[in-house]
Amino acid sequence: MASLWDDLESLANSPSSFTAPTGERGTIKPKAGFNAGDDVAALRNAIEGLGTKEKILIEILTRRSSAQRQLLCEAYKEATGRTLVEDLRGDTSGDLEELLVALATPPAAFDCHQVMKAMKGAGTNDGILIEIFASRSNQQIRALTDAYLKETQKKLTLDLRGEISGDFAKALLLLAEGKRDESAAVDAEKAKKDAKTLYDAGEKKWGTDESKFVDVLCRRSVPQLRQTLLEYKNVSGKTLQQSVEGEMSGALEELLVAIVKCVKSVPAYFAERLHASMKGGGTDESTLNRIMVSRSEIDLLDIRAEFKKLYKCSLLSAIKSDLSGLHGDCVEAICGGDD
C-alpha cells in the first residue's frame, strides 16, 4: 500500500474530488422520463401488498438520482400521509433497511445522521468523524452543519466540543467550520515555508509540535497542500504521511493521515476504506453502505478504477464475494458495473 501513497509525481495535475461537480463521475444518474407518480404507485404496491417486494424498492431507489428520490419522497408523503423512510423502516430490516433509508435521505441529512450516530452513547466513533470531515468539501460540510442545526436546534461545533478533546478536537473543529481556503492559485514560496515549518515542528525536533500540522493541514487549499507535500519530500526526504505516522498516534494521527490521503486522491482513500470494510472476518456493512451511498453521485466511477488498480480485482467482484442476499443486490446495483 505504501507505494500508492508515496508516489507524489502526478500530484500537481491530477483532478480533485473536492471540486468535482455532482453527477459526472457517479454511478447513479438521473432517470430519463422520471415520473414521481408512477414510482409512488410502484413503491406502494411493493410496500403495501402482501409481503414486501424488496427487489422493486432496490430497482427504483438505485436508479434515480438523489434529487429525483427527494421528489419521490415528497410525492409519497402526499399520496400516503406517511414518509417513505418510515415505511422502509417498517417493512425492511437489517443492512438492507439501513441502505434503502440512506438512499431515501438527502445527502446533507445523511452525513448529519452519520455524525450524530458517531457521537451517540459513551465515547465517540472517531473513524466516522474522520472519514466525513477529511473527505468533504466546504460546501458539503456547511450543508451538514445546517442540517444538524435544523434537526437538533444546536450548533454541531458546540456539540463536538463536548465529545472530543486535545489536538484532535482542534483539528476536527477547524474542519467542521467548513472554511478551508478554496483558492485554486498555488503560492510556491508559501508551500516551501509551510514544508519547512512542518519539518521543524516534527522530524527536526525532539517531541512534535502538533499545532503546526493542524494549522497547515486543516486550513490550506487542496492545490496548495499538494505543492506543500512535494516541497516537504524535498526538505525531509520522507513523505509528510510517513512523518505524521512516525511522529503522532491515536485519533489525531488517523485524522491528519486521512487529510493527506484525501489531498492526494479522495477516490484512492475511499477505495482503501472499502477494501478494509470487506477484508478479514466479517464485513463492516455500516462503512460500506455509507461510502457507497455518499459517493454514488460524486466519484464512485473513480473509486472503482482505483480499487481495481490497488487490489487487482473489481469492486463489484469484491462485493459479490463478500455480500449476499438482497443487501448484496442493492450494493451491487449502486456499484453499477464491473471493471
Side-chain angles (χ1 to χ4, degrees), residues 14 49 63 75 88 120 129 132 150 165 208 240 262 295:
S14 57
R63 294 282 169 265
L88 290 171
K120 204 171 160 186
L129 298 176
I132 288 177
K150 194 173 160 191
S165 60
T208 308
L240 183 57
C262 288
R295 309 313 292 186

Side-chain angles (χ1 to χ4, degrees), residues 202-203 205 207-208 210 213 232 238-250 253-254 257:
E203 289 290 337
K205 69 194 281 269
T208 308
E210 284 90 352
F213 285 82
Y232 186 87
K238 285 183 173 181
T239 66
L240 183 57
Q241 183 180 330
Q242 288 166 338
S243 290
V244 170
E245 288 169 342
E247 297 283 323
M248 297 178 203
S249 61
E253 178 200 343
E254 206 185 314
V257 166

